[in-house]
Every structure is written in structure tokens, then in C-alpha cells.
Amino acid sequence: MVATVSDMVLSVGYLLLWIVTWVVYQRRRNVFDGGSAIMLSYICYAVFSIITINDELFSITFEPLRLFPYIYLYLMLMIALWPAVYHHLHPVTEIEEPHTRMLKLTAWLICFCALCQVPDIASNFNDGLVMLFTDTDAGKDAYSEQLSDADEAGTAISNLFAIIYNSLSDVAIFLFFYFLTQKEKNRLLVAGLGFSIAVGLLIPVMHGQRSGVILGVLTLILGYFFFQEYYSRMLNLLVRGVGVVVLAMVALPVAAITFSRFDSMMAGVLGFLNWYIGQANVFFNNYGLDAGGIRYGDRTLNLFKRLIDSDTPANFVERREKYHNLELDDYYFSTFVGDFTIDFGPYLAIVIFLAFNTFVWYRIRRSGHSVKVHQLLLLYLSMCICMQGGMYLFAYADTANLRIVTLMGLYAYLCYHEKLLEKYPLENNEQN
């Protein structure tokens, strides 16, 4: 059963709405920045949604589409993009020097934790990455092995350095592109952060996982366009060239995993690819505003809630068992908006989105043509949520709540340090 005329009208209308939004956004200031990349990704997902609702096999997984959920989804995504739009319309030409060693210390900590992952990568290299290209079942087997251990996830600390590294993964990308904006670049530190980011892309592949790799690539794309205005023409060309090579290298193992898992199935690789990329908008339309109940924050605030409620599920296996009655859970994608509406209901989700993004907008407001690093970091967090969750879910959920802690912790330190400098100015710009 393929899409009805009504489904097609609604899906095409949703696509056209994002195209118009992107065009207006670009015409107000003819610069392709992080907000441009996010909106363009939403256009891409809307295209794949149209493809998948017309797939003879996957179309049976969806219910008829309705108008209001698409309006709700668009408005919520625009609320989430509000800080990015403000930044786009109030351009800056300079990033103020924060005069603190904390950023470099954090970067070196990330590099050290990444190095601590090398022995594990080396010991599993042949059984992980190499096997993807020599054994057609390797990707499927590795993924199945990870699922078999999923019921133990989130219950104990097994590798402290890996936890620190994962919690700082988005900070690593922010610092990598930020340090490239400096006139006197610490090449060793930039190279170390580049290596750390590569480790983050490699580990999921070796476990037969694609989501971690794709989210990492999306964040890298966002990070580049977030900072590209501060780069010279030659540096932009260099970064883009390296980026193309990295994307090509990442695409090979991801393709191998995809073929391993889905090539033998009836729908085929292309069918599953269309379904994975396009399902979030459609599933949100079907169930995002009424999934037959709510999870009371058990996914989006999982780690925080576990500190005060011992009955909170420790992983997705326990959570799916607890909320088996829901029409839609994290087994399928429903965008990060859907994660919040299923966790808190459609009304409280609006309050949360307005409160957080109003806070971000208020804190990044500025006069003049310079911006502080802590303002960029907070804006980056809000845009990461948008970029990573457009076709997926809230990527900072479960134990990834730690990434919120590290990002906000670094933001709080930079704000505190700024106030300290205002009260006790440094002589000769000596860094503390």
C-alpha cells in the first residue's frame, strides 16, 4: 500500500515549507552557516520521507498522515533553531580571547582519553574493521553481539577513560574547529583533537554500529560551517578537502555494515536506507503527539532521573519493557522533538523548548561585532541538538546526559572566568 493523495499533499507541503524557510534564511544574509546546514538536512529528510511512504513494503508501517502534527513539528523545530537564526541575523567578525588555559587543558584531556582507547581498538582491529570487508556477515554479527549485551548497559562503570572521552566528544569537535580560528595555531593540539575525533568515528564501526558514526559526521559538518566564517580562504579549502576524504573513508565501512545487515532482506539496502532516513518525520506525524502514554523523562533525562529514582530503567531494554504499551518508543526514530513529546507530552514539551531556547537566546545576545567563546559554546550545544536529532532522536539521552554535563560545565566555567577577569583584570593579557 503506497501513499494516498492526502499523504502526498501533506508530505510535499512539509518539504516545501522547509525549502521556503531555507531560502528566506539564506536571502536575509547570503552566508552558508551552521543553521543553513541544519535546515538543508531537514529538507533532505523530508525528501526521504516522501520516498519511504511510497515504498510498497515500508508504507504499511505508517498510518495516514495528518496536518496538525506537521505544523507542530515545524514550529518546534523553528523554536529550537531560534538561537541559530538570531546568530545568523547578527553577524560577528571576531571571537574574543577568553584568556584561560582551561580550553587547552580540556583538549589535552580529550587527547589522552582517546589514546587510552587505542589498545582496545588494536586488539579488535582484525575482528572488527578488517572483517567488515572480508566477511559479509561481520557487520550483522557485531551488531547482534552488541544487542545481546545491551541489558547490562548503563549499570556499571567499566572504562572510566572511555566515559570521559564519550562525554567530551562534542566538545572535542567544538575545540578542534575553534583552535583552527586562532592566528597562532597549536598544530600538535589540533592534530591530537583530529586523532581523537577519528577514534570516535572508528569505535562504533568496529561494533557494527552506524548511528554513532553518522551522528559524529553530522556534528563535524555542523562544527565546520559553524566556524567557517572565521577561516581564511586557504584554510577553508584545506578543511573541505580533508573533510571530503574523511567522508569517503567513513562511507566505506558504514556501507559495508549496511550491506551486511540488510542485503539479504526482502526490502534490500536501498529500501532500508530510505526508511531509516525518512521515518522520523512520518512516525512523529503518526504518534508523536499521542503515543498512548508518556515516559516521564525516562529517556531524555535518564541519568539525572536515576539519581533520584531507583526505578528508572538503566538502558533501552529495560525501558522498552516498562513502556511496552506505547505506540512508539525509541525502537523507531521520531526526531528529538518526538523524544520530548513522548517523554513529557506535547504541552510540557513546548514549555521545555521555549524555556531552554529563550535561555540560549538571552545568553548569546550581544552588541558590537565580537562574540565570546562561552556564547559560541552554548549556541553550539543548541545547534548540535537540532543537527543530531533531525532524523534520529534526542542524542543527549540516557548516559549521553553526561555530554550535557560536560558542555554546560565548561560553559559555566567560562562564564565564571569572565566575571573573575572583570573584577581582577589580567596584566599584559597573562592567561590563568
mmCIF file of all heavy atoms in Angstrom, residues 143-152:
data_model
loop_
_atom_site.group_PDB
_atom_site.id
_atom_site.type_symbol
_atom_site.label_atom_id
_atom_site.label_comp_id
_atom_site.label_asym_id
_atom_site.label_seq_id
_atom_site.Cartn_x
_atom_site.Cartn_y
_atom_site.Cartn_z
ATOM 1 N N TYR A 143 26.769 -6.289 15.305
ATOM 2 C CA TYR A 143 25.594 -5.578 15.808
ATOM 3 C C TYR A 143 24.773 -6.469 16.739
ATOM 4 O O TYR A 143 24.319 -6.036 17.797
ATOM 5 C CB TYR A 143 24.738 -5.116 14.634
ATOM 6 C CG TYR A 143 23.503 -4.344 15.037
ATOM 7 C CD1 TYR A 143 23.598 -3.053 15.517
ATOM 8 C CD2 TYR A 143 22.229 -4.928 14.931
ATOM 9 C CE1 TYR A 143 22.460 -2.339 15.883
ATOM 10 C CE2 TYR A 143 21.093 -4.228 15.301
ATOM 11 C CZ TYR A 143 21.217 -2.939 15.785
ATOM 12 O OH TYR A 143 20.091 -2.243 16.149
ATOM 13 N N SER A 144 24.622 -7.727 16.377
ATOM 14 C CA SER A 144 23.872 -8.669 17.218
ATOM 15 C C SER A 144 24.564 -8.875 18.558
ATOM 16 O O SER A 144 23.916 -8.995 19.601
ATOM 17 C CB SER A 144 23.714 -10.010 16.487
ATOM 18 O OG SER A 144 22.999 -9.853 15.285
ATOM 19 N N GLU A 145 25.888 -8.906 18.538
ATOM 20 C CA GLU A 145 26.651 -9.079 19.777
ATOM 21 C C GLU A 145 26.445 -7.885 20.701
ATOM 22 O O GLU A 145 26.308 -8.043 21.923
ATOM 23 C CB GLU A 145 28.133 -9.242 19.458
ATOM 24 C CG GLU A 145 28.998 -9.489 20.689
ATOM 25 C CD GLU A 145 30.455 -9.696 20.333
ATOM 26 O OE1 GLU A 145 30.759 -9.887 19.139
ATOM 27 O OE2 GLU A 145 31.289 -9.665 21.252
ATOM 28 N N GLN A 146 26.402 -6.687 20.126
ATOM 29 C CA GLN A 146 26.164 -5.501 20.942
ATOM 30 C C GLN A 146 24.767 -5.521 21.545
ATOM 31 O O GLN A 146 24.574 -5.161 22.705
ATOM 32 C CB GLN A 146 26.343 -4.234 20.093
ATOM 33 C CG GLN A 146 27.778 -3.952 19.714
ATOM 34 C CD GLN A 146 28.653 -3.696 20.919
ATOM 35 O OE1 GLN A 146 28.344 -2.842 21.752
ATOM 36 N NE2 GLN A 146 29.737 -4.437 21.037
ATOM 37 N N LEU A 147 23.782 -5.963 20.778
ATOM 38 C CA LEU A 147 22.415 -6.038 21.298
ATOM 39 C C LEU A 147 22.298 -7.044 22.427
ATOM 40 O O LEU A 147 21.544 -6.843 23.390
ATOM 41 C CB LEU A 147 21.443 -6.409 20.167
ATOM 42 C CG LEU A 147 21.111 -5.322 19.148
ATOM 43 C CD1 LEU A 147 20.124 -5.868 18.114
ATOM 44 C CD2 LEU A 147 20.521 -4.100 19.832
ATOM 45 N N SER A 148 23.060 -8.119 22.336
ATOM 46 C CA SER A 148 22.994 -9.147 23.379
ATOM 47 C C SER A 148 23.535 -8.644 24.709
ATOM 48 O O SER A 148 23.179 -9.161 25.772
ATOM 49 C CB SER A 148 23.772 -10.389 22.940
ATOM 50 O OG SER A 148 25.167 -10.105 22.830
ATOM 51 N N ASP A 149 24.387 -7.613 24.665
ATOM 52 C CA ASP A 149 24.944 -7.052 25.891
ATOM 53 C C ASP A 149 24.214 -5.796 26.335
ATOM 54 O O ASP A 149 24.594 -5.170 27.329
ATOM 55 C CB ASP A 149 26.430 -6.707 25.684
ATOM 56 C CG ASP A 149 27.262 -7.939 25.371
ATOM 57 O OD1 ASP A 149 26.875 -9.032 25.828
ATOM 58 O OD2 ASP A 149 28.293 -7.801 24.671
ATOM 59 N N ALA A 150 23.172 -5.416 25.608
ATOM 60 C CA ALA A 150 22.503 -4.135 25.874
ATOM 61 C C ALA A 150 21.828 -4.090 27.234
ATOM 62 O O ALA A 150 21.704 -3.029 27.847
ATOM 63 C CB ALA A 150 21.468 -3.849 24.781
ATOM 64 N N ASP A 151 21.378 -5.259 27.751
ATOM 65 C CA ASP A 151 20.676 -5.247 29.025
ATOM 66 C C ASP A 151 21.604 -4.964 30.208
ATOM 67 O O ASP A 151 21.143 -4.746 31.329
ATOM 68 C CB ASP A 151 19.940 -6.580 29.251
ATOM 69 C CG ASP A 151 20.886 -7.772 29.183
ATOM 70 O OD1 ASP A 151 22.039 -7.591 28.742
ATOM 71 O OD2 ASP A 151 20.456 -8.876 29.563
ATOM 72 N N GLU A 152 22.928 -4.947 29.954
ATOM 73 C CA GLU A 152 23.891 -4.626 31.006
ATOM 74 C C GLU A 152 24.389 -3.190 30.898
ATOM 75 O O GLU A 152 25.138 -2.728 31.768
ATOM 76 C CB GLU A 152 25.086 -5.585 30.930
ATOM 77 C CG GLU A 152 24.712 -7.053 31.112
ATOM 78 C CD GLU A 152 25.909 -7.969 30.976
ATOM 79 O OE1 GLU A 152 27.037 -7.439 30.812
ATOM 80 O OE2 GLU A 152 25.729 -9.197 31.034
#
